[in-house]
Amino acid sequence: MIGRWLGNRANRVQRASALAAVPTPPSAGVLSCRVLDPVSEPVTHAEFAVSDAMGRKVVGGGADPFGSFVATVPAGEYRLAVSAEGYTPYRAKAVVTENALASLGDVTLQVAQPPELPPPGDWEVEPAHSSIAFTARHIGLARIHGRFNSFAGVVRIAEQVERSAMHVVIDAASIDTNVKMRDDHLRSADFLDVARFPTLEFYSDRFVHKGGNRWAVTGALSLHGVTRTVTLDTEYLGLGNGMEGEVRAACRATTELHRDDFTVSWQTMLARGIAVVGPSIAVDLDVQIVPKG
């Protein structure tokens, strides 16, 4: 009995110490959790979302280097959702009282099964359900968003997926930022020079599994008459069925391009030394592929 009392007292002291380190406004308490993997190592890339009883998000964020999450919230009932790449999501309920620490303790995430890969064969990009978008910095402040409206691509899925290959061709003149004057300038010799280089092409035969549903797709991008090696950070979303029952696979991918690498170097500076167009372009792809008929 004495040992149990001492243990409980130690836990209370530890909780009080942790709570004292967090400024707590009146009518608020602290919610905490630590996330571990199946071998009790911290999951440092875990993401948290705390919602109220009505399902409205109250606070969210990422874990610290020890896999911990601490948030000050108004007293009440909450739902905590924990997610991390490669793991099955975790959900729990918690009641936070005034000037108190509501700790869910250590939560162990289970490794998720990766989504089923597409079967071997020839597949083609379906433009109607795919997009190739980009974002560029404008005058050091705003971001300009654009896309290419015309493109085609094929993917050959090998028995060993790492040996697969893909080829995508983009119509350079189909660039679209929703401003005609700007689009005409982007098509000119200052930028894409579509009269001389009517297409952008990407070819890859290197698919590297990074764990879970993450892949690195590395290949050669030809743009503005220059070819450079580019890696797409790819999230494979799995297989699904279309409205007519056809099988399709989907993925998202991102990369960053530097204009100077492709000799797209046009630039004008504002009076205060800020570039009108930023040096790098963020590229975002949402792609669905279907078996080639």
Side-chain angles (χ1 to χ4, degrees):
M1 292 292 294
I2 293 176
R4 181 180 301 172
W5 180 84
L6 289 174
N8 290 338
R9 184 175 184 277
N11 288 337
R12 288 196 298 272
V13 171
Q14 184 178 12
R15 287 196 295 270
S17 175
L19 184 58
V22 181
T24 308
S27 304
V30 176
L31 177 63
S32 72
C33 175
R34 185 172 72 142
V35 183
L36 305 175
D37 65 15
V39 294
S40 298
E41 290 294 323
V43 181
T44 58
H45 63 288
E47 295 287 336
F48 298 82
V50 179
S51 304
D52 62 18
M54 300 296 292
R56 296 170 297 197
K57 184 176 178 180
V58 176
V59 66
D64 66 17
F66 301 97
S68 299
F69 174 79
V70 180
T72 302
V73 294
E77 297 183 2
Y78 294 96
R79 301 170 185 172
L80 175 68
V82 183
S83 60
E85 179 64 37
Y87 296 91
T88 300
Y90 172 87
R91 291 176 174 81
K93 294 182 179 180
V95 177
V96 177
T97 57
E98 295 181 14
N99 197 36
L101 173 64
S103 174
L104 296 176
D106 292 343
V107 170
T108 300
L109 297 185
Q110 301 301 317
V111 177
Q113 292 296 322
E116 180 184 358
L117 295 172
D122 290 340
W123 299 65
E124 59 186 351
V125 174
E126 187 182 47
H129 294 96
S130 301
S131 66
I132 299 177
F134 60 87
T135 306
R137 180 74 71 175
H138 181 243
I139 64 172
L141 295 173
R143 289 183 173 88
I144 299 299
H145 301 277
R147 62 188 181 274
F148 289 95
N149 291 326
S150 179
F151 52 86
V154 292
V155 183
R156 173 160 291 176
I157 304 296
E159 291 285 349
Q160 184 177 342
V161 176
E162 287 78 0
R163 297 183 176 179
S164 299
M166 67 180 300
H167 184 204
V168 177
V169 179
I170 303 169
D171 178 4
S174 72
I175 193 168
D176 183 359
T177 66
N178 207 34
V179 176
K180 184 179 185 303
M181 182 179 296
R182 182 168 57 213
D183 293 342
D184 289 342
H185 190 197
L186 291 172
R187 296 183 186 105
S188 75
D190 284 343
F191 286 95
L192 294 179
D193 197 359
V194 300
R196 295 176 59 205
F197 310 109
T199 62
L200 293 72
E201 296 193 37
F202 179 74
Y203 175 80
S204 172
D205 60 0
R206 187 182 179 195
F207 288 53
V208 178
H209 189 211
K210 308 295 287 186
N213 63 347
R214 309 299 304 196
W215 291 77
V217 179
T218 300
L221 174 65
S222 297
L223 188 165
H224 198 245
V226 178
T227 300
R228 293 282 187 266
T229 299
V230 170
T231 296
L232 303 178
D233 180 12
T234 305
E235 178 187 6
Y236 174 63
L237 302 176
L239 295 173
N241 294 99
M243 295 186 64
E244 297 181 2
E246 74 280 7
V247 176
R248 58 183 61 228
C251 72
R252 288 193 290 260
T254 61
T255 193
E256 184 176 82
L257 306 179
H258 296 276
R259 294 194 296 118
D260 285 347
D261 290 345
F262 297 91
T263 66
V264 183
S265 304
W266 179 89
Q267 191 56 277
T268 292
M269 307 296 288
L270 299 179
R272 58 187 185 275
I274 298 176
V276 171
V277 182
S280 61
I281 309 294
V283 180
D284 294 279
L285 302 96
D286 279 280
V287 177
Q288 290 191 27
I289 58 174
V290 295
K292 191 173 181 180

mmCIF file of all heavy atoms in Angstrom, residues 22-45:
data_model
loop_
_atom_site.group_PDB
_atom_site.id
_atom_site.type_symbol
_atom_site.label_atom_id
_atom_site.label_comp_id
_atom_site.label_asym_id
_atom_site.label_seq_id
_atom_site.Cartn_x
_atom_site.Cartn_y
_atom_site.Cartn_z
ATOM 1 N N VAL A 22 3.720 24.874 -18.444
ATOM 2 C CA VAL A 22 2.848 25.373 -19.507
ATOM 3 C C VAL A 22 1.929 26.449 -18.946
ATOM 4 O O VAL A 22 1.125 26.165 -18.055
ATOM 5 C CB VAL A 22 2.008 24.225 -20.108
ATOM 6 C CG1 VAL A 22 1.125 24.746 -21.232
ATOM 7 C CG2 VAL A 22 2.899 23.106 -20.594
ATOM 8 N N PRO A 23 2.023 27.696 -19.427
ATOM 9 C CA PRO A 23 1.100 28.735 -18.954
ATOM 10 C C PRO A 23 -0.337 28.340 -19.254
ATOM 11 O O PRO A 23 -0.687 28.035 -20.398
ATOM 12 C CB PRO A 23 1.521 29.975 -19.757
ATOM 13 C CG PRO A 23 2.913 29.678 -20.224
ATOM 14 C CD PRO A 23 2.985 28.202 -20.404
ATOM 15 N N THR A 24 -1.181 28.311 -18.228
ATOM 16 C CA THR A 24 -2.554 27.871 -18.395
ATOM 17 C C THR A 24 -3.512 28.995 -18.049
ATOM 18 O O THR A 24 -3.605 29.389 -16.876
ATOM 19 C CB THR A 24 -2.845 26.652 -17.499
ATOM 20 O OG1 THR A 24 -1.850 25.658 -17.719
ATOM 21 C CG2 THR A 24 -4.208 26.061 -17.803
ATOM 22 N N PRO A 25 -4.229 29.546 -19.023
ATOM 23 C CA PRO A 25 -5.200 30.603 -18.736
ATOM 24 C C PRO A 25 -6.348 30.062 -17.885
ATOM 25 O O PRO A 25 -6.544 28.846 -17.777
ATOM 26 C CB PRO A 25 -5.691 31.020 -20.126
ATOM 27 C CG PRO A 25 -4.693 30.447 -21.081
ATOM 28 C CD PRO A 25 -4.155 29.219 -20.428
ATOM 29 N N PRO A 26 -7.131 30.969 -17.260
ATOM 30 C CA PRO A 26 -8.321 30.515 -16.524
ATOM 31 C C PRO A 26 -9.248 29.717 -17.435
ATOM 32 O O PRO A 26 -9.334 29.970 -18.631
ATOM 33 C CB PRO A 26 -8.970 31.831 -16.061
ATOM 34 C CG PRO A 26 -7.860 32.830 -16.080
ATOM 35 C CD PRO A 26 -6.950 32.430 -17.197
ATOM 36 N N SER A 27 -9.931 28.748 -16.871
ATOM 37 C CA SER A 27 -10.897 27.911 -17.598
ATOM 38 C C SER A 27 -10.242 27.057 -18.669
ATOM 39 O O SER A 27 -10.889 26.640 -19.629
ATOM 40 C CB SER A 27 -12.012 28.748 -18.239
ATOM 41 O OG SER A 27 -12.662 29.525 -17.258
ATOM 42 N N ALA A 28 -8.939 26.780 -18.529
ATOM 43 C CA ALA A 28 -8.239 25.951 -19.519
ATOM 44 C C ALA A 28 -7.421 24.872 -18.814
ATOM 45 O O ALA A 28 -7.129 24.962 -17.619
ATOM 46 C CB ALA A 28 -7.330 26.802 -20.397
ATOM 47 N N GLY A 29 -7.083 23.860 -19.571
ATOM 48 C CA GLY A 29 -6.229 22.790 -19.081
ATOM 49 C C GLY A 29 -5.252 22.393 -20.164
ATOM 50 O O GLY A 29 -5.188 23.013 -21.223
ATOM 51 N N VAL A 30 -4.508 21.334 -19.915
ATOM 52 C CA VAL A 30 -3.458 20.899 -20.837
ATOM 53 C C VAL A 30 -3.720 19.462 -21.265
ATOM 54 O O VAL A 30 -4.020 18.597 -20.438
ATOM 55 C CB VAL A 30 -2.067 21.018 -20.184
ATOM 56 C CG1 VAL A 30 -0.986 20.481 -21.116
ATOM 57 C CG2 VAL A 30 -1.778 22.463 -19.821
ATOM 58 N N LEU A 31 -3.602 19.216 -22.552
ATOM 59 C CA LEU A 31 -3.747 17.881 -23.131
ATOM 60 C C LEU A 31 -2.399 17.444 -23.667
ATOM 61 O O LEU A 31 -1.724 18.204 -24.368
ATOM 62 C CB LEU A 31 -4.780 17.907 -24.260
ATOM 63 C CG LEU A 31 -5.021 16.601 -25.034
ATOM 64 C CD1 LEU A 31 -5.584 15.525 -24.117
ATOM 65 C CD2 LEU A 31 -5.963 16.853 -26.197
ATOM 66 N N SER A 32 -1.988 16.224 -23.326
ATOM 67 C CA SER A 32 -0.674 15.761 -23.782
ATOM 68 C C SER A 32 -0.736 14.303 -24.198
ATOM 69 O O SER A 32 -1.643 13.558 -23.815
ATOM 70 C CB SER A 32 0.384 15.940 -22.694
ATOM 71 O OG SER A 32 0.193 15.000 -21.649
ATOM 72 N N CYS A 33 0.276 13.914 -24.985
ATOM 73 C CA CYS A 33 0.355 12.550 -25.506
ATOM 74 C C CYS A 33 1.771 12.327 -26.019
ATOM 75 O O CYS A 33 2.428 13.279 -26.472
ATOM 76 C CB CYS A 33 -0.660 12.384 -26.627
ATOM 77 S SG CYS A 33 -0.614 10.812 -27.487
ATOM 78 N N ARG A 34 2.255 11.108 -25.915
ATOM 79 C CA ARG A 34 3.539 10.765 -26.529
ATOM 80 C C ARG A 34 3.310 9.576 -27.451
ATOM 81 O O ARG A 34 2.658 8.600 -27.066
ATOM 82 C CB ARG A 34 4.603 10.412 -25.490
ATOM 83 C CG ARG A 34 5.974 10.174 -26.119
ATOM 84 C CD ARG A 34 7.064 10.025 -25.075
ATOM 85 N NE ARG A 34 6.971 8.756 -24.376
ATOM 86 C CZ ARG A 34 8.026 8.026 -23.992
ATOM 87 N NH1 ARG A 34 9.244 8.453 -24.251
ATOM 88 N NH2 ARG A 34 7.855 6.913 -23.332
ATOM 89 N N VAL A 35 3.853 9.652 -28.664
ATOM 90 C CA VAL A 35 3.604 8.634 -29.683
ATOM 91 C C VAL A 35 4.851 7.794 -29.902
ATOM 92 O O VAL A 35 5.940 8.332 -30.142
ATOM 93 C CB VAL A 35 3.162 9.279 -31.012
ATOM 94 C CG1 VAL A 35 2.845 8.220 -32.042
ATOM 95 C CG2 VAL A 35 1.952 10.169 -30.779
ATOM 96 N N LEU A 36 4.667 6.486 -29.833
ATOM 97 C CA LEU A 36 5.769 5.542 -30.003
ATOM 98 C C LEU A 36 5.450 4.576 -31.127
ATOM 99 O O LEU A 36 4.282 4.344 -31.465
ATOM 100 C CB LEU A 36 6.003 4.748 -28.707
ATOM 101 C CG LEU A 36 6.253 5.561 -27.437
ATOM 102 C CD1 LEU A 36 6.350 4.623 -26.246
ATOM 103 C CD2 LEU A 36 7.510 6.411 -27.567
ATOM 104 N N ASP A 37 6.514 3.990 -31.712
ATOM 105 C CA ASP A 37 6.323 2.934 -32.704
ATOM 106 C C ASP A 37 6.292 1.586 -31.983
ATOM 107 O O ASP A 37 6.433 1.522 -30.753
ATOM 108 C CB ASP A 37 7.402 3.006 -33.782
ATOM 109 C CG ASP A 37 8.794 2.717 -33.248
ATOM 110 O OD1 ASP A 37 8.926 2.182 -32.129
ATOM 111 O OD2 ASP A 37 9.769 3.039 -33.948
ATOM 112 N N PRO A 38 6.092 0.469 -32.705
ATOM 113 C CA PRO A 38 5.967 -0.833 -32.044
ATOM 114 C C PRO A 38 7.194 -1.283 -31.251
ATOM 115 O O PRO A 38 7.096 -2.198 -30.429
ATOM 116 C CB PRO A 38 5.682 -1.785 -33.211
ATOM 117 C CG PRO A 38 5.014 -0.932 -34.227
ATOM 118 C CD PRO A 38 5.713 0.386 -34.132
ATOM 119 N N VAL A 39 8.358 -0.654 -31.457
ATOM 120 C CA VAL A 39 9.539 -1.017 -30.661
ATOM 121 C C VAL A 39 9.864 0.094 -29.664
ATOM 122 O O VAL A 39 10.993 0.223 -29.189
ATOM 123 C CB VAL A 39 10.757 -1.323 -31.561
ATOM 124 C CG1 VAL A 39 10.510 -2.562 -32.384
ATOM 125 C CG2 VAL A 39 11.096 -0.129 -32.459
ATOM 126 N N SER A 40 8.844 0.915 -29.347
ATOM 127 C CA SER A 40 8.924 1.932 -28.303
ATOM 128 C C SER A 40 9.876 3.074 -28.619
ATOM 129 O O SER A 40 10.393 3.729 -27.710
ATOM 130 C CB SER A 40 9.295 1.295 -26.946
ATOM 131 O OG SER A 40 8.301 0.367 -26.553
ATOM 132 N N GLU A 41 10.096 3.341 -29.902
ATOM 133 C CA GLU A 41 10.866 4.504 -30.311
ATOM 134 C C GLU A 41 9.910 5.650 -30.653
ATOM 135 O O GLU A 41 8.826 5.421 -31.202
ATOM 136 C CB GLU A 41 11.742 4.189 -31.520
ATOM 137 C CG GLU A 41 12.895 3.246 -31.222
ATOM 138 C CD GLU A 41 13.919 3.867 -30.292
ATOM 139 O OE1 GLU A 41 14.164 5.085 -30.414
ATOM 140 O OE2 GLU A 41 14.456 3.131 -29.438
ATOM 141 N N PRO A 42 10.273 6.893 -30.339
ATOM 142 C CA PRO A 42 9.376 8.022 -30.636
ATOM 143 C C PRO A 42 9.098 8.159 -32.134
ATOM 144 O O PRO A 42 9.993 7.983 -32.963
ATOM 145 C CB PRO A 42 10.159 9.236 -30.118
ATOM 146 C CG PRO A 42 11.151 8.691 -29.153
ATOM 147 C CD PRO A 42 11.503 7.327 -29.645
ATOM 148 N N VAL A 43 7.874 8.483 -32.474
ATOM 149 C CA VAL A 43 7.495 8.776 -33.860
ATOM 150 C C VAL A 43 7.556 10.299 -34.003
ATOM 151 O O VAL A 43 6.590 11.012 -33.726
ATOM 152 C CB VAL A 43 6.096 8.235 -34.185
ATOM 153 C CG1 VAL A 43 5.741 8.526 -35.652
ATOM 154 C CG2 VAL A 43 6.027 6.734 -33.922
ATOM 155 N N THR A 44 8.703 10.790 -34.424
ATOM 156 C CA THR A 44 8.933 12.236 -34.426
ATOM 157 C C THR A 44 8.175 12.979 -35.523
ATOM 158 O O THR A 44 8.039 14.201 -35.455
ATOM 159 C CB THR A 44 10.436 12.533 -34.561
ATOM 160 O OG1 THR A 44 10.918 11.936 -35.767
ATOM 161 C CG2 THR A 44 11.202 11.942 -33.381
ATOM 162 N N HIS A 45 7.690 12.248 -36.539
ATOM 163 C CA HIS A 45 6.968 12.925 -37.619
ATOM 164 C C HIS A 45 5.454 12.797 -37.470
ATOM 165 O O HIS A 45 4.705 13.061 -38.411
ATOM 166 C CB HIS A 45 7.407 12.374 -38.977
ATOM 167 C CG HIS A 45 7.090 10.925 -39.192
ATOM 168 N ND1 HIS A 45 7.750 9.897 -38.545
ATOM 169 C CD2 HIS A 45 6.171 10.315 -39.989
ATOM 170 C CE1 HIS A 45 7.267 8.735 -38.937
ATOM 171 N NE2 HIS A 45 6.298 8.971 -39.819
#
